[in-house]
Amino acid sequence: YKVMFSDPIDRVDNQAKELYDVINFIKKTYEENINIYLVGYSKGGLVNMRFITLYPFVKIKSVVSIGTPYHTSFFKSCILFIR
């Protein structure tokens, strides 16, 4: 699935909530134990990292960020390993 946020310039927290809703839909549609891989480009990487901090109980197989501006964000000092 490709997530197109309702407001592309909205706050990262709001977009993380939208992502949560999409992932819940996918899990309900297919199966609860389906592997979820998050791939984010630029701000999408920030949304993914915020998602996993707000919703740590949602099982995510892996997170990939491409061109994400971590050096200017809250996540600068965060190092997360997802297994």
Side-chain angles (χ1 to χ4, degrees):
Y1 282 86
K2 178 180 179 181
V3 177
M4 299 295 291
F5 297 111
S6 59
D7 183 355
I9 58 172
D10 200 358
R11 295 185 61 224
V12 170
D13 285 2
N14 296 338
Q15 291 178 336
K17 169 64 170 102
E18 281 190 60
L19 182 58
Y20 175 75
D21 294 340
V22 169
I23 290 173
N24 275 340
F25 171 79
I26 292 169
K27 287 181 175 269
K28 288 178 184 175
T29 301
Y30 296 98
E31 61 181 73
E32 185 64 31
N33 294 326
I34 191 167
N35 288 329
I36 302 290
Y37 300 87
L38 299 177
V39 178
Y41 172 73
S42 192
K43 184 182 176 188
L46 297 177
V47 173
N48 288 344
M49 294 303 280
R50 188 64 179 146
F51 171 84
I52 62 175
T53 59
L54 289 174
Y55 307 100
F57 51 87
V58 177
K59 185 178 177 186
I60 302 297
K61 185 74 172 177
S62 68
V63 177
V64 176
S65 294
I66 303 164
T68 301
Y70 291 119
H71 64 284
T72 59
S73 75
F74 164 77
F75 301 105
K76 177 180 180 180
S77 62
C78 295
I79 299 174
L80 301 173
F81 295 96
I82 300 172
R83 296 180 184 172

